[in-house]
Amino acid sequence: MNTAHLGLPVDVPSTALFTDRYELTMLQAALRAGTADRRTVFEVFTRRLPEGRRYGVVAGTGRVLDAVENFRFDRGVLDFLADQRIVDEATLQWLADYRFRGDIWGYPEGEVYFPGSPIMRVEGSFGEAVLLETVILSILNHDSAVAAAASRMSVAAAGRPLIEMGARRTHELSAVASARAAYVGGFSSTSDLAAGFRYKIPTVGTSAHAFTLLHDTERDAFTAQVDSLGSGTTLLVDTFDVVEAVRTAVEVAGTELGAVRIDSGDLLLLAHRVRHQLDELGAKKTKIVVTSDLDEYAIASLAAAPVDAYGVGTQLVTGSGHPTCSMVYKLVARAGSDDPAAPLRPVAKKSMGAKTSIGGRKWAARRLDEDGVAEAEVVGSGPVPEGLADRQLLVELVRGGKVVAREPLDAARDRHVAARSALPLSATQLSRGEAVIPTEYVVG
Amino acid sequence: MNTAHLGLPVDVPSTALFTDRYELTMLQAALRAGTADRRTVFEVFTRRLPEGRRYGVVAGTGRVLDAVENFRFDRGVLDFLADQRIVDEATLQWLADYRFRGDIWGYPEGEVYFPGSPIMRVEGSFGEAVLLETVILSILNHDSAVAAAASRMSVAAAGRPLIEMGARRTHELSAVASARAAYVGGFSSTSDLAAGFRYKIPTVGTSAHAFTLLHDTERDAFTAQVDSLGSGTTLLVDTFDVVEAVRTAVEVAGTELGAVRIDSGDLLLLAHRVRHQLDELGAKKTKIVVTSDLDEYAIASLAAAPVDAYGVGTQLVTGSGHPTCSMVYKLVARAGSDDPAAPLRPVAKKSMGAKTSIGGRKWAARRLDEDGVAEAEVVGSGPVPEGLADRQLLVELVRGGKVVAREPLDAARDRHVAARSALPLSATQLSRGEAVIPTEYVVG
């Protein structure tokens, strides 16, 4: 299947090629060795949070479900694999019938996580589970990085709306996923139309400096915008002189002017001055939107300023210094033999240095103290201790290849607020710190 | 047009929605004001290189051309814009006929750039040019960031092959573009099958720790892999004990074993030990591939080690600390009036603080010293001085809406090597520095 005629910027016919080549070569070797059907358990987890971060945010789960459903090797893909001699004929035949028929459990989207949290668990034959490594990690590593930044910004904004404006700073489709992840992390809207189209996220946007410069005077530009978009629009007031622009804006739009946007300069100072001027002009309800290389620290520094909304771009879509998470997808258990009934047994790479992992199919639960505040992420591979059974974190996402956990994006967004609220208060400090609760391993 | 049935991870029918909403609202207001047809010139440039970087690398140009060609508002998109009341009926009608009919010039892909370099110049009516801002910036900001990191890694690798392996650390389609940009910047191959499919970049990959752990012994795993992929394959030797694994690998594959891969531990130490062991075992031609959170500094530190190839993931796809460039798309000139014959006149935002820009439609040339080494990036808006006429950097990419500058990816890759080679020697120092040549403005 060739999608070039659809005008997409990439011509990739299904999610099956969002795959590292070694997954297919491993499949081929395992098919030949007779080990591809062994039952396996793979888990997604991270060994550490980005330096200084106190919690992580699971995002992308819904996109993983889309990707798994659409992970099929159609004729175009198979031809490519054959032409390039990436796999042999027997493997091509196996791939032609491929669909994931196993089970996936995971932390629900919006949940918080910590080092060692088994964020997602994929169970199936080696052949079917090994192929999903790259696409699952791509999605979770990217989206969770953006959601974590969004969550911190959302804390800093303390209830004021946050607008996602980062599309121009990242890959055009990464931008769409970033808007989605930002929404999960607490943003209210996006400038990105594709994100509005695909995920129904509210879109916003009015004008740029180019619009003012197109016209012969700033007054002409403001008049054109108000004529077209109404007095409730947001006028950009920092193209020339802010004081003059604010005066002109109110003259043109009246005191019902929706908002003014400031995109450069000392935002703290300007917000106070502009608020004062707007009030003097009688535009007491006119809001002030600020945009200009904001991050969570800049947002926090404006907490006492008369700002009504923040637009955030670069620092959001690049994860505010941490553009990816370090999640890995590791085989943690497999059948002890080729016998389909063989029990699973834990496996793990014998560590050299930092790349430790713990074998075994794991559960996780968040233990609360007597006040209902989280005090530990408890992870184990044996029976779940009494008292934690109803605090388990993994939910069923895919059963026998069928997605069973679709939900609206707002569910993830609400879940994130609830999960974050149950963490100790220091979770939301912006300063560098350790994971806000420890991860405890219960050996089964 | 709905592409959901194609199994793509996003359902975006054309590149036209990779757009910030304000571009459409500006269009609507300009249409109503009668200013949308004014001739305009927009330029892409950056005010600064990422901190410490000595040069930038233009990448994504070919993808921009794809995006511009496919930037159409079809029925599904128009319905969305109408349903969401993003623009009015007159604007919808204008968009239905939209295709870019203007001209685009730019630095050819692979060229180096500096602060103020007019990397791309878009000329057309305001309406047609303003719409391309976001998609052009998304592509150039992302791809150039990855290519810059790739270029530095390529310098550090000093001729040894570099394998792009970062798909799992970034958005699944960002990964495809990253593999492409890495190739432009000097990488040899990628693990990402979608990049091989879409851009014909050579793909590589053999096995992961999971493959070893799937089998009852490491010997079983190596045997399975060699049986299937031949003795020329690359065996991963750090799942348990490296010394034992290397011994087993040569026993299983013979001295014709293609390569071993080391993915953890002290790579410098291990490379020497493994080389010594391989030589002692008679596997003198067996290569050593190292992978494990490499960046340009880690690669450079292995220069004296017996390493044959480097696999690089996270640090490549995240731009080695700089995941985006700060390129902007600014109106620099427009017709002085609505008269179609009105001459262009320079425009610029009146700066407050750091957001300076220089108005006027610009040319750029790289001035060489008497030894043929670059000594300045010269940018101007008047006549090109004699002596620089044949050193001009912008080439024609789109003429009257038609792409005129398609080229194979290897042309960009070769161009990058040539452009970098003509810079002063200090360009390729990895240490932090300033832009390696100054940007000089010639006032026209």
Side-chain angles (χ1 to χ4, degrees):
Chain A
M1 193 185 303
N2 187 302
T3 60
H5 68 282
L6 293 172
L8 283 156
V10 290
D11 179 14
V12 179
S14 93
T15 54
L17 286 182
F18 297 139
T19 296
D20 286 314
R21 177 167 166 157
Y22 76 178
E23 288 148 39
L24 295 187
T25 45
M26 284 191 275
L27 169 67
Q28 172 179 312
L31 282 171
R32 185 175 164 125
T35 49
D37 290 335
R38 285 188 174 184
R39 277 195 303 139
T40 56
V41 182
F42 285 82
E43 283 175 1
V44 175
F45 63 94
T46 179
R47 297 181 180 99
R48 59 188 182 282
L49 295 176
E51 199 189 332
R53 291 286 178 84
R54 294 162 187 260
Y55 61 93
V57 181
V58 176
T61 315
R63 296 210 309 117
V64 166
L65 300 181
D66 291 343
V68 170
E69 262 189 345
N70 291 313
F71 201 94
R72 304 291 175 88
F73 294 83
D74 59 24
R75 184 44 51 198
V77 171
L78 293 171
D79 287 349
F80 165 72
L81 299 176
D83 289 349
Q84 298 290 310
R85 301 183 182 202
I86 288 168
V87 289
D88 62 18
E89 186 55 36
T91 308
L92 290 172
Q93 284 178 23
W94 191 95
L95 292 173
D97 291 331
Y98 179 82
R99 53 184 290 268
F100 180 72
R101 295 181 175 86
D103 301 323
I104 302 180
W105 287 64
Y107 280 39
E109 189 154 11
E111 185 53 89
V112 297
Y113 70 84
F114 300 93
S117 295
I119 293 158
M120 190 169 281
R121 187 175 70 213
V122 178
E123 306 194 43
S125 73
F126 176 77
E128 69 185 344
V130 76
L131 296 186
L132 300 180
E133 175 177 23
T134 302
V135 74
I136 288 178
L137 289 179
S138 289
I139 294 171
L140 294 179
N141 272 322
H142 174 270
D143 293 14
S144 299
V146 174
S151 175
R152 285 164 61 84
M153 291 170 183
S154 161
V155 166
R160 291 174 178 169
L162 287 159
I163 308 163
E164 188 284 306
M165 300 186 159
R168 63 195 51 202
R169 302 299 190 185
T170 189
H171 183 278
E172 63 276 20
L173 281 158
S174 169
V176 182
S178 292
R180 184 185 181 283
Y183 190 77
V184 170
F187 275 53
S188 302
S189 58
T190 177
S191 62
D192 190 69
L193 290 172
F197 181 84
R198 178 63 183 86
Y199 296 117
K200 314 277 183 273
I201 300 167
T203 61
V204 296
T206 50
S207 67
H209 298 114
F211 186 78
T212 300
L213 296 171
L214 172 70
H215 292 88
D216 298 334
T217 65
E218 194 170 52
R219 181 179 297 270
D220 283 358
F222 287 177
T223 304
Q225 186 174 330
V226 170
D227 279 354
S228 176
L229 303 172
S231 59
T233 192
T234 300
L235 293 172
L236 180 59
V237 293
D238 70 335
T239 306
F240 304 112
D241 178 82
V242 174
V243 172
E244 201 178 311
V246 169
R247 189 185 313 123
T248 307
V250 177
E251 282 174 17
V252 168
T255 54
E256 297 304 301
L257 173 62
V260 295
R261 177 160 79 97
I262 311 169
D263 183 46
S264 55
D266 180 334
L267 298 176
L268 180 62
L269 185 75
L270 286 172
H272 280 290
R273 281 197 192 161
V274 168
R275 181 73 270 157
H276 184 70
Q277 188 186 0
L278 286 169
D279 289 347
E280 281 202 328
L281 293 168
K284 291 181 187 291
K285 289 184 190 160
T286 300
K287 293 184 171 173
I288 297 176
V289 182
V290 295
T291 58
S292 185
D293 286 334
L294 297 176
D295 62 11
E296 61 268 48
Y297 305 103
I299 293 167
S301 76
L302 293 166
V307 166
D308 298 285
Y310 304 93
V312 188
T314 309
Q315 290 303 316
L316 175 75
V317 297
T318 58
S320 201
H322 300 292
T324 186
C325 306
S326 47
M327 292 180 195
V328 293
Y329 182 88
K330 293 293 173 191
L331 181 68
V332 296
R334 65 166 174 86
S337 74
D338 299 333
D339 178 353
L344 290 171
R345 70 178 193 206
V347 293
K349 175 175 184 300
K350 190 174 157 190
S351 170
M352 303 202 315
K355 291 192 176 179
T356 57
S357 53
I358 297 175
R361 179 181 183 284
K362 290 181 243 352
W363 52 264
R366 194 157 297 145
R367 195 175 68 231
L368 307 184
D369 68 13
E370 55 199 8
D371 298 321
V373 177
E375 63 174 18
E377 191 85 338
V378 189
V379 177
S381 56
V384 183
E386 212 170 320
L388 287 179
D390 62 346
R391 298 293 311 160
Q392 289 198 72
L393 290 158
L394 281 83
V395 299
E396 192 174 25
L397 300 171
V398 175
R399 183 191 307 149
K402 194 176 150 50
V403 174
V404 295
R406 294 249 177 245
E407 62 178 10
L409 205 52
D410 277 307
R413 191 168 191 266
D414 294 345
R415 181 181 296 116
H416 177 59
V417 171
R420 191 178 63 198
S421 305
L423 295 177
L425 279 179
S426 59
T428 53
Q429 283 177 223
L430 295 181
S431 58
R432 284 165 175 266
E434 300 295 314
V436 72
I437 55 172
T439 304
E440 299 176 1
Y441 290 96
V442 178
V443 179
Chain B
M1 194 185 304
N2 187 303
T3 60
H5 66 283
L6 293 171
L8 282 155
V10 290
D11 179 13
V12 179
S14 94
T15 55
L17 286 182
F18 297 140
T19 296
D20 285 315
R21 177 167 167 158
Y22 79 177
E23 288 148 39
L24 295 187
T25 47
M26 285 190 275
L27 169 67
Q28 172 180 312
L31 283 171
R32 185 174 165 126
T35 49
D37 290 335
R38 287 189 173 183
R39 277 194 305 140
T40 56
V41 182
F42 285 83
E43 283 175 2
V44 175
F45 64 94
T46 179
R47 297 182 180 99
R48 58 188 182 281
L49 296 176
E51 199 189 332
R53 291 286 177 83
R54 294 161 186 260
Y55 61 94
V57 181
V58 176
T61 315
R63 297 209 309 117
V64 166
L65 301 181
D66 291 344
V68 171
E69 264 189 341
N70 292 314
F71 200 96
R72 305 290 175 89
F73 294 83
D74 59 23
R75 184 44 49 199
V77 171
L78 294 171
D79 287 348
F80 164 72
L81 299 176
D83 289 349
Q84 299 291 310
R85 302 186 181 199
I86 289 169
V87 288
D88 61 20
E89 186 55 36
T91 307
L92 290 172
Q93 284 177 23
W94 192 94
L95 292 173
D97 291 331
Y98 180 82
R99 54 185 290 269
F100 180 73
R101 294 180 175 87
D103 302 324
I104 302 180
W105 288 63
Y107 280 38
E109 189 154 11
E111 186 52 90
V112 297
Y113 71 84
F114 300 93
S117 295
I119 293 158
M120 190 168 280
R121 187 175 70 211
V122 178
E123 305 194 43
S125 73
F126 176 78
E128 69 186 343
V130 75
L131 297 186
L132 300 180
E133 175 177 23
T134 302
V135 73
I136 287 178
L137 288 178
S138 288
I139 293 171
L140 293 179
N141 271 322
H142 175 269
D143 292 15
S144 299
V146 174
S151 175
R152 286 164 60 84
M153 292 170 183
S154 161
V155 167
R160 291 173 179 170
L162 287 159
I163 309 162
E164 189 283 306
M165 299 184 160
R168 64 194 51 200
R169 300 299 189 185
T170 189
H171 183 279
E172 62 277 20
L173 281 157
S174 168
V176 182
S178 292
R180 184 186 180 283
Y183 190 75
V184 170
F187 274 53
S188 302
S189 58
T190 178
S191 62
D192 190 68
L193 290 171
F197 180 85
R198 177 64 183 86
Y199 296 117
K200 315 281 183 269
I201 300 167
T203 60
V204 296
T206 49
S207 66
H209 298 114
F211 186 77
T212 300
L213 295 171
L214 172 70
H215 293 88
D216 297 335
T217 65
E218 194 170 52
R219 180 178 299 269
D220 283 359
F222 288 176
T223 303
Q225 186 175 329
V226 169
D227 280 354
S228 175
L229 303 171
S231 59
T233 193
T234 299
L235 293 171
L236 180 59
V237 292
D238 70 334
T239 307
F240 303 114
D241 178 81
V242 173
V243 173
E244 200 178 310
V246 170
R247 189 185 311 121
T248 307
V250 176
E251 283 174 16
V252 168
T255 55
E256 298 303 302
L257 174 62
V260 296
R261 177 160 80 97
I262 310 170
D263 183 46
S264 56
D266 180 334
L267 298 177
L268 180 63
L269 185 75
L270 286 172
H272 280 289
R273 280 196 191 163
V274 167
R275 182 74 269 157
H276 184 70
Q277 188 186 3
L278 286 169
D279 289 347
E280 280 203 328
L281 293 167
K284 291 183 188 288
K285 290 184 190 159
T286 299
K287 293 184 171 172
I288 297 176
V289 182
V290 296
T291 58
S292 184
D293 285 332
L294 296 176
D295 61 12
E296 60 267 47
Y297 305 102
I299 292 168
S301 76
L302 292 166
V307 166
D308 298 286
Y310 304 94
V312 188
T314 308
Q315 290 304 316
L316 175 75
V317 298
T318 58
S320 200
H322 301 291
T324 186
C325 305
S326 47
M327 292 180 196
V328 292
Y329 182 87
K330 292 294 172 189
L331 181 68
V332 297
R334 64 165 173 87
S337 74
D338 298 332
D339 178 352
L344 291 171
R345 70 179 195 206
V347 293
K349 175 178 186 299
K350 189 173 157 190
S351 171
M352 304 203 314
K355 290 191 176 178
T356 58
S357 53
I358 296 176
R361 179 182 183 281
K362 290 181 246 348
W363 52 265
R366 193 158 299 146
R367 195 173 68 231
L368 307 184
D369 68 13
E370 55 199 11
D371 298 322
V373 177
E375 63 175 18
E377 191 85 339
V378 189
V379 177
S381 56
V384 182
E386 212 170 320
L388 287 179
D390 62 345
R391 299 294 310 161
Q392 290 197 70
L393 290 158
L394 281 82
V395 300
E396 192 173 26
L397 300 171
V398 175
R399 184 190 308 150
K402 193 174 149 54
V403 174
V404 295
R406 294 249 177 246
E407 63 179 9
L409 205 53
D410 278 307
R413 191 169 192 265
D414 294 345
R415 180 181 296 116
H416 178 58
V417 172
R420 191 178 63 198
S421 305
L423 295 177
L425 279 179
S426 60
T428 52
Q429 284 177 222
L430 295 182
S431 58
R432 284 165 176 266
E434 301 294 315
V436 73
I437 56 173
T439 303
E440 298 176 1
Y441 290 95
V442 178
V443 179

